[in-house]
Amino acid sequence: MATLGEVMKYGVSVDWLRGLSAAMVLLLPVVAAAESYGDRPEIKTFIDDMVVRHQFDRQQLQQQFDQVQKKQRIIDAMSRPAEKTKNWGEYQDIFIKPQRIRKGVKFWQENSEALAAAEKQFGVPAEMIVAIIGVETNYGGNKGSWRVMDALATLAFDYPDQDNKKYVERRKTFFTKELEHFLLLAREQQRDPLTLKGSYAGAMGYGQFMPSSYRRYATDFDGDGFTDIWENKRDAIGSVANYFLEHGWRAGEPVTSRNRVAKGYDKSVLNLSRSKRKAAGLTVADLAEKGYTPVQQVESTLLAGAIKLQGKKGAEFWMGFNNFYVITRYNTSIKYAMAVHQLSQQIAAAKAAAEV
């Protein structure tokens, strides 16, 4: 999936070291050379698997893993994502601000033909595609500076154990599989995997697709025979739209509505996880019986979820519909999905105002 687009990082800066005097540098302790991933038993097992199942060249893979490095700053970043450390009001300020809106309008104007074509083919509004790219990479300005192979290996083989062993094992399985997909992707695109860069989570390109999502959902939208979301904006635009369509986006349906809440509203249905919300199968009519009424007029039979966020002026109540939860397939955070949606609305409004 896209995106985890999916992770961020750390360490002593070069500028800081340059600021030290020569005498101080001499006093710094000697740092032992980092352990080579290529020497580790679990990596050798992984290489064996890639050779047997995918016919990779063993010597070449071994040489590549000899150069892969554990990155502690990646582990640190994964441990403190903004979605968990900031409330909605604080999170909102990261992405919904004048400069990002202006740049979104500019990106839309510069890529209007591709965005119109994607909206027509996939049914995903141009402003939503623009907002995703804006949130993920600031319209391509920050596609990530980590070697993807370092990021995925670190998260697959060196993420620390926690009390929840089941969660740790699930994470390891996920990133090991993504490392497999990444090496397959690099081979398919005839690229050196050690040169490809992305986020601290291993997400890549304008839309920050994880390797498995790149291979499954990225599309050659300009028809040149090569699917490139690293540098080709048209392919990136089509790929984001295709990802949304493949995950259930419904053209013309609403995304969210503010909610009115009745006294004694049922708190047990708020902010349900994807699995619990799906199992509950609540409609707008069902939520009305539980004390939630959407401000805008929507079909009572639409499936919906009740949302509560801590905003700048206190609690905010929302109703999320199918398309809102499609956004969460990009990033499971409700705050992320709301930021993308609200940014898309403000970009659309600013573009319309500029064209008057």
Side-chain angles (χ1 to χ4, degrees), residues 270-271 305-309 316-320 324-325 334 338:
L270 283 169
N271 300 350
I307 298 167
K308 181 181 180 181
L309 295 170
E316 297 178 8
F317 292 89
W318 294 85
M319 192 170 286
F324 179 82
Y325 292 103
I334 289 173
M338 191 66 74

Side-chain angles (χ1 to χ4, degrees), residues 22 26 34 47 51 65 68 126 134 141 143 159 167 173 175-177 187 191 243 248 253 257 283 301 304 352:
L26 291 174
I47 291 174
V51 170
F65 274 106
V68 174
K143 289 180 277 190
Y159 202 82
Y167 171 76
T173 299
F175 283 106
T176 301
K177 196 68 179 175
R187 184 172 70 178
R191 300 188 183 209
Y243 185 92
E253 287 195 6
S257 170
T283 64
T301 57

Side-chain angles (χ1 to χ4, degrees), residues 37 59-69 145-151 153 179 182-183 186-187 190-198 230:
Y37 267 106
Q59 183 178 0
Q60 184 181 52
L61 267 186
Q62 183 66 58
Q63 290 172 346
Q64 290 167 347
F65 274 106
D66 285 343
Q67 300 175 65
V68 174
Q69 299 175 346
S145 59
W146 295 94
R147 289 199 312 186
V148 175
M149 207 163 169
D150 287 342
L179 180 58
F182 173 68
L183 290 168
R187 184 172 70 178
Q190 298 181 21
R191 300 188 183 209
D192 178 356
L194 291 171
T195 67
L196 297 174
K197 295 185 178 181
W230 307 88

